[in-house]
Amino acid sequence: MNATLVAERGCICESTEQSESLTLKAVRLAERLEQSVRQIIVGADQNLGDMEMEVERQSREFQRAATEKVAQSKADLTPPVCPVCHRPLSQVSAGHERTFQSRFGEIRLERKRGYCKRCKKWRFPADHALGLEESAGSSPRVQEMAALLASKMPVEEASAVMEHLTGVKMPRATLDREAKRQGERACRLREQLDEQARQSPAQVGQPEMVLEPYQMIIQTDAWNIRERDEWGQTERLRRAGQEPERWHWVYMGTCFRLNQRGKTAGGRAVISERGFVATRAGIDALREQLHAEAMRRGLGQAAGALVIADGAVWIWRLADDRFPEARQRLDFYHAVHHLAAVGRALFGEDKEKLRQWLRPLVKQLKNQSAIKVIHQLEEILATIPSGPTLVEATKEIHYLREHQKRMDYRTALRCGEPIGSGAIESTCRQAQCRFKRPGQYWSRQGDEALLCLETFWRNNRWHLLFPHNRHFDLSKN
Ligand SMILES: [Zn+2]
């Protein structure tokens, strides 16, 4: 079929000049493609990858033109009504140009402009209909790409990866700015969603019928983010009269229902659905975000809740404060670590002795009771003469005694509950891989924005930020 023939047919069934040209473009594209791939087909050193690249390169202009055409049609159809107060606009004039970067390259649009007497502002209703914010130079899809890539990798890489994979050219600084803008938008949206969870907790919980009672598991942890290169030189700087930049804590939390935790065929623990929070805005921010997330995940309907974490004091304060009904459990591996510290005080560098001493105690701690283990340690303590060993052992035993009620691992294992906070620890490790790269400088605001984007992605709420993804279910990935 040749271009002229299709163009003639186009005259019959299509009425506008623009749709004819699009049809023509499609035919020309097909012809061009057939020409160029012929060389690839006969080329000995060219494979499917070359064909993919060629088809992608050739069809880009067609995709751009098609997007421009539909965008223009939508702009033309948008009534001159204020998108904010919905009143008709006055002094309406047409032909106001705007260009922006789309998924397939630069697009030019003409829109109507009118004055809203109520808002006392000039309005472009088409911009609103197309999802173009006032200052945005990029389409919603490009905004999304910038946000996603910047939250997953350093900006300088993100810019190169975006161009390589999609052909969209976005300089580093522009991509950085766009991602932060989206991240700040995500922070505002998170605040709204958390506010809803506080105001009407019954409405944000899981709407489905709860057939089986479940426990809500909550885990939290923190890691610190590199701020400046002076790390480790605090004392030297202070001696020189300088106050170094502090490391900043990133607080993270996760929550899931116990019955959503299972195992793979290989025995690895998996959680089918869980909520994440991450913030650099301090413990109070974490507490409120984590509570809102737990409510959204069904805390209100849970038969009980359990907070598992390492021994940090702030965690238990947070738990007492915001999850007063929840049981508390010290991470098992953390308890073992403190038990081992007693052993190291007793046996020094003799690793074999330490191992022999530790093994039965760890078993007892796991399968019998913490009280039994602590009693044995106290008996040992009574035999140690005063000195650094006694001081060290006393400190560790005191720690274990303090957490005694949080160490009922036997019951936990019987009920099929986790004894460790591995779920949050692995989440923190993943986040650190992204955020702790050498030479990276982070600002508090920029961090919070990127962390927030990451939680929208992980919580399967990306579509709330970028509604064009509303039919795309991330949990199926
Ligand atoms: Zn208005």
Side-chain angles (χ1 to χ4, degrees), residues 210-248:
V210 179
L211 299 174
E212 257 179 77
Y214 59 85
Q215 292 286 322
M216 177 65 72
I217 311 293
I218 297 160
Q219 298 186 3
T220 169
D221 203 354
W223 50 277
N224 42 29
I225 201 160
R226 185 196 295 270
E227 184 72 15
R228 282 282 168 92
D229 287 330
E230 289 103 349
W231 179 70
Q233 300 179 38
T234 307
E235 288 313 311
R236 188 188 59 78
L237 283 164
R238 282 206 179 126
R239 277 198 301 274
Q242 289 171 299
E243 190 56 30
E245 285 284 331
R246 296 260 166 234
W247 276 72
H248 286 274

Side-chain angles (χ1 to χ4, degrees), residues 17-293:
E17 198 187 326
Q18 270 185 325
S19 57
E20 282 170 8
S21 71
L22 203 57
T23 313
L24 256 174
K25 277 188 163 91
V27 175
R28 290 211 185 96
L29 169 66
E31 285 177 348
R32 252 200 330 273
L33 275 175
E34 276 179 5
Q35 286 290 326
S36 57
V37 292
R38 210 164 287 151
Q39 290 160 12
I40 300 177
I41 294 165
V42 294
D45 59 345
Q46 288 175 311
N47 65 16
L48 185 59
D50 296 285
M51 295 174 204
E52 287 170 309
M53 291 290 272
E54 188 59 20
V55 172
E56 198 179 308
R57 195 180 65 79
Q58 299 258 7
S59 38
R60 193 172 158 82
E61 171 50 27
F62 175 74
Q63 291 176 312
R64 193 205 63 78
T67 310
E68 188 173 70
K69 185 193 165 263
V70 282
Q72 186 61 62
S73 304
K74 183 152 180 108
D76 294 342
L77 279 174
T78 309
V81 168
C82 174
V84 177
C85 70
H86 309 290
R87 292 279 180 96
L89 298 171
S90 61
Q91 302 175 58
V92 177
S93 57
H96 297 272
E97 237 181 64
R98 181 174 181 180
T99 56
F100 57 90
Q101 175 82 266
S102 84
R103 168 67 184 80
F104 310 108
E106 198 168 89
I107 277 177
R108 198 185 66 86
L109 284 182
E110 285 185 358
R111 321 97 83 212
K112 285 188 208 82
R113 189 188 72 172
Y115 189 73
C116 176
K117 286 179 182 161
R118 193 184 220 190
C119 301
K120 295 189 171 56
K121 272 193 167 171
W122 288 99
R123 301 281 190 205
F124 296 89
D127 286 2
H128 186 262
L130 290 166
L132 296 167
E133 292 151 68
E134 256 170 53
S135 58
S138 312
S139 69
R141 181 78 171 129
V142 174
Q143 291 170 15
E144 181 204 353
M145 294 196 303
L148 181 58
L149 286 171
S151 68
K152 299 286 177 195
M153 61 183 72
V155 169
E156 49 271 39
E157 281 178 38
S159 175
V161 169
M162 184 193 272
E163 185 172 348
H164 182 74
L165 290 180
T166 70
V168 175
K169 287 192 182 82
M170 199 183 240
R172 226 173 92 173
T174 315
L175 194 146
D176 190 41
R177 211 170 37 243
E178 189 58 60
K180 293 219 169 103
R181 216 165 59 89
Q182 296 306 320
E184 280 157 19
R185 196 163 67 82
C187 289
R188 290 193 295 274
L189 182 58
R190 176 175 66 190
E191 238 166 69
Q192 282 172 24
L193 295 172
D194 289 358
E195 188 55 33
Q196 273 170 25
R198 268 191 293 277
Q199 296 294 331
S200 40
Q203 281 162 28
V204 301
Q206 306 279 335
E208 84 272 29
M209 286 278 289
V210 179
L211 299 174
E212 257 179 77
Y214 59 85
Q215 292 286 322
M216 177 65 72
I217 311 293
I218 297 160
Q219 298 186 3
T220 169
D221 203 354
W223 50 277
N224 42 29
I225 201 160
R226 185 196 295 270
E227 184 72 15
R228 282 282 168 92
D229 287 330
E230 289 103 349
W231 179 70
Q233 300 179 38
T234 307
E235 288 313 311
R236 188 188 59 78
L237 283 164
R238 282 206 179 126
R239 277 198 301 274
Q242 289 171 299
E243 190 56 30
E245 285 284 331
R246 296 260 166 234
W247 276 72
H248 286 274
W249 288 101
V250 174
Y251 294 99
M252 295 186 99
T254 187
C255 53
F256 56 89
R257 298 183 194 182
L258 187 57
N259 58 7
Q260 283 168 342
R261 178 172 167 267
K263 277 194 172 155
T264 61
R268 192 170 59 88
V270 282
I271 300 159
S272 61
E273 240 179 74
R274 64 178 175 129
F276 297 92
V277 296
T279 183
R280 242 194 76 176
I283 294 168
D284 291 350
L286 171 80
R287 188 185 56 222
E288 297 313 309
Q289 287 175 25
L290 188 55
H291 188 259
E293 188 58 37

Side-chain angles (χ1 to χ4, degrees), residues 453-472:
L453 283 174
E454 175 68 12
T455 56
F456 269 82
W457 178 262
R458 279 181 176 254
N459 284 321
N460 203 12
R461 285 184 204 121
W462 195 246
H463 63 283
L464 297 182
L465 273 177
F466 302 102
H468 52 266
N469 287 299
R470 65 181 77 81
H471 304 299
F472 173 61

Side-chain angles (χ1 to χ4, degrees), residues 345-381:
L346 292 172
F347 306 109
E349 291 305 300
D350 194 338
K351 285 195 177 137
E352 188 47 43
K353 256 191 174 170
L354 171 64
R355 205 161 47 230
Q356 278 177 15
W357 176 83
L358 193 58
R359 197 180 297 142
L361 288 173
V362 171
K363 259 191 185 165
Q364 278 180 18
L365 183 65
K366 195 172 187 175
N367 303 317
Q368 295 176 31
S369 83
I371 303 163
K372 212 168 165 179
V373 172
I374 292 167
H375 280 165
Q376 288 170 73
L377 297 178
E378 280 167 344
E379 276 168 25
I380 297 168
L381 203 62

